[in-house]
Amino acid sequence: MAQHRFTHQVGSTRHGFVDLKELMAKATPARSGDLLAGLAADSAQQRAVAQMALAELPLKLFLEELLVPYETDEITRLIIDHHDRAAFAPIAHLTVGDFRNWLLADDTDSAALAAVAPGITPEMAAAVSKIMRNQDLILVARKCRVVTAFRNTIGLAGRLSTRLQPNHPTDDASGIAASMLDGLLYGSGDAVIGINPATDNVPQVVKLVDMMAEVIARYDIPTQSCVLTHVTNTIAAIERGAPVDLVFQSIAGTEAANRSFGIDLALLGEARAAALSLGRGTVGQNVMYFETGQGSALSANAHHGIDQQTCEARAYAVARHFKPLLVNTVVGFIGPEYLYDGKQITRAGLEDHFCAKLLGLPMGCDVCYTNHAEADQNDMDGLLTLLGVAGCTFVMGIPGSDDIMLNYQTTSFHDALYVRRVLGARPAPEFEAWLHQMQIFNGEQFRLHGDMPPGFRHALPRIG
């Protein structure tokens, strides 16, 4: 693209940017991944100039100037071929800066945001996020309402769900059962009971799926289970008759990055069809669970010179296409090479949540960091609280905040209970009713039963 298309005058100095990819990258708030890739702004001044230039671009430009060629990338083709021009029409005349103002306007409510969501491309969402403060990202995301369902209803106003993550370093059934019981007794698990298997093969997947299905059925828990294995293992487990609820897969924003994961759009479609054929949902049939994270495309050398936050937003086009129950960004998991410290992790978490909600996704966040990052649990408390205010769909619940199988730090059952209490956010309605029925919540909304609830008194040895 001609350089003059991307210039901005500041005083007597004219700043130029080679193409849209460079402009987007230079406008991005600082993060270590873009610095590692050689894409970051050289200075705060250059970043500010890029943001001003980006604000002047018409939204229509993102349908004309494609960051990854249409001919060589199926994610680009997905974005363009499924773009809803009728939904886009009300905002088609806006620049990126005007779009920010429209999003923040009082008259732009949840219904208006839902109506335009199919017309917003990931690149548009990423662009406007780059010129927004943290409070802007929170305010707009809170106005977005995305509701999905399987055995309970996720994403309703005033609700915050949790993924109960009972991982174990040897997949020991008793250890997993103990973590499941612990989490349920703190009111966790309405988003999903999801296990990352230590031994990732089809027989082990079937074993874990069977175990969780037995617990859910025995105690009539209105939730869903998932083993976070490769999608091909889940398809094989379904073919063996396993009672699979949700199909999991990590996804990225370019065809090449997804190929490094061993997936493409056709395979994801096959998996979704297989899960739907089981008909295991009771109040809905959203059967997919996706995880994403800034830096995944760069780590696979499949980013095409695009900044990591824009690559991340493109992954949401993949997720949106398959109508998932849940999506979450594992925001600090990839490490400090991509998000260096607590400040960068916080910003990325708010960006990811905002962009996904704007595109119409049921977005949660694994509020987490690795032990070699310049971050600690106080940083995570801050991000957890900000995401709760922003209307995050769900967060993680893990014993003691420490995943002993994946070796990273995240949020605990206590943390989820904290943010529910401080913000008055309740679990999914069907799950909340079950918590009261089982006397886990005792009378008042978040008051826990003082002793082991009768229904669970003998649960641990029976489950194990």
Side-chain angles (χ1 to χ4, degrees):
M1 184 178 297
Q3 184 174 338
H4 71 272
R5 297 282 298 278
F6 300 100
T7 61
H8 192 80
Q9 188 83 24
V10 179
S12 61
T13 304
R14 181 171 292 276
H15 300 261
F17 302 92
V18 172
D19 56 21
L20 184 56
K21 285 194 287 190
E22 183 185 29
L23 178 61
M24 294 274 280
K26 300 299 187 189
T28 305
R31 65 208 60 204
S32 52
D34 291 337
L35 188 64
L36 177 68
L39 303 174
D42 298 331
S43 64
Q45 181 187 37
Q46 187 186 43
R47 181 175 300 110
V49 170
Q51 289 170 342
M52 288 187 284
L54 184 61
E56 295 175 353
L57 295 186
L59 288 179
K60 288 180 179 178
L61 181 69
F62 294 94
L63 299 173
E64 302 164 1
E65 305 291 344
L66 307 181
L67 301 185
V68 187
Y70 181 93
E71 297 77 15
T72 60
D73 186 89
E74 69 173 357
I75 311 308
T76 299
R77 293 194 291 274
L78 179 72
I79 292 167
I80 297 302
D81 293 348
H82 289 82
H83 180 246
D84 188 330
R85 291 187 178 271
F88 181 57
I91 58 172
H93 62 290
L94 301 178
T95 65
V96 173
D98 294 333
F99 186 37
R100 172 188 176 272
N101 294 338
W102 182 84
L103 291 170
L104 291 167
D106 289 340
D107 291 341
T108 305
D109 57 13
S110 298
L113 290 166
V116 301
I120 301 171
T121 69
E123 291 84 356
M124 294 174 192
V128 75
S129 76
K130 296 177 191 299
I131 64 168
M132 298 175 81
R133 292 171 57 186
N134 285 2
Q135 65 173 252
D136 300 337
L137 300 175
I138 293 168
L139 177 61
V140 176
R142 187 171 181 83
K143 293 196 288 185
C144 295
R145 184 64 50 220
V146 182
V147 179
T148 57
F150 190 76
R151 287 201 193 93
N152 56 33
T153 309
I154 306 292
L156 295 169
R159 307 277 176 173
L160 173 67
S161 294
T162 58
R163 170 185 160 194
L164 202 174
Q165 186 169 312
N167 294 344
H168 193 277
T170 64
D171 287 339
D172 176 73
S174 295
I176 291 171
S179 293
M180 287 174 62
L181 178 63
D182 190 22
L184 290 168
L185 293 179
Y186 279 98
S188 284
D190 53 333
V192 64
I193 301 175
I195 299 174
N196 299 87
T199 305
D200 196 4
N201 55 54
V202 175
Q204 185 67 4
V205 169
V206 172
K207 178 181 176 182
L208 293 173
V209 168
D210 283 340
M211 176 190 175
M212 288 188 289
E214 178 188 353
V215 174
I216 288 171
R218 177 178 296 168
Y219 295 100
D220 199 21
I221 308 172
T223 190
Q224 38 281 328
S225 71
C226 184
V227 175
L228 282 71
T229 185
H230 193 270
V231 64
T232 53
N233 287 341
T234 305
I235 293 172
I238 292 173
E239 291 172 346
R240 295 189 185 189
V244 170
D245 289 340
L246 304 184
V247 175
F248 168 81
Q249 183 55 50
S250 295
I251 56 173
T254 69
E255 179 179 342
N258 283 323
R259 196 160 50 237
S260 76
F261 291 158
I263 63 167
D264 58 21
L265 298 179
L267 182 61
L268 294 177
E270 178 187 345
R272 180 171 181 265
L276 285 172
S277 73
L278 301 180
R280 292 180 55 78
T282 55
V283 297
Q285 292 296 331
N286 296 112
V287 296
M288 304 299 285
Y289 173 22
F290 295 118
E291 285 189 347
T292 68
Q294 289 193 29
S296 58
L298 175 59
S299 67
N301 194 28
H303 62 297
H304 298 278
I306 303 170
D307 69 89
Q308 67 182 39
Q309 190 255 332
T310 302
C311 280
E312 167 74 3
R314 283 172 55 93
Y316 305 154
V318 178
R320 178 166 65 174
H321 184 64
F322 294 102
K323 300 177 175 59
L325 178 75
L326 306 165
V327 182
N328 76 275
T329 170
V330 193
V331 65
F333 183 73
I334 301 181
E337 299 83 4
Y338 304 95
L339 296 169
Y340 180 72
D341 57 15
K343 182 176 181 179
Q344 291 187 10
I345 291 171
T346 296
R347 174 68 191 190
L350 295 176
E351 288 170 347
D352 294 351
H353 179 251
F354 162 84
C355 287
K357 284 290 182 65
L358 195 60
L359 292 166
L361 284 175
M363 193 65 168
C365 185
D366 192 341
V367 179
C368 64
Y369 64 101
T370 57
N371 287 315
H372 61 308
E374 290 294 319
D376 60 25
Q377 211 65 38
N378 285 325
D379 294 310
M380 300 305 102
D381 286 350
L383 177 54
L384 173 64
T385 306
L386 292 174
L387 285 168
V389 174
C392 189
T393 300
F394 72 105
V395 295
M396 304 299 124
I398 294 173
S401 305
D402 184 5
D403 192 304
I404 57 175
M405 196 279 282
L406 292 173
N407 293 309
Y408 77 115
Q409 310 305 311
T410 180
T411 49
S412 71
F413 307 136
H414 302 74
D415 297 331
L417 193 61
Y418 143 75
V419 78
R420 279 175 171 168
R421 281 173 166 164
V422 77
L423 297 177
R426 296 152 61 189
E430 300 88 348
F431 191 79
E432 182 182 20
W434 179 84
L435 290 171
H436 286 290
Q437 175 190 332
M438 296 297 291
Q439 298 178 303
I440 294 170
F441 282 0
N442 188 18
E444 297 176 21
Q445 187 172 307
F446 302 116
R447 182 181 176 189
L448 298 175
H449 198 288
D451 196 0
M452 177 74 79
F456 275 99
R457 194 172 304 280
H458 304 294
L460 184 57
R462 290 175 64 194
I463 295 172

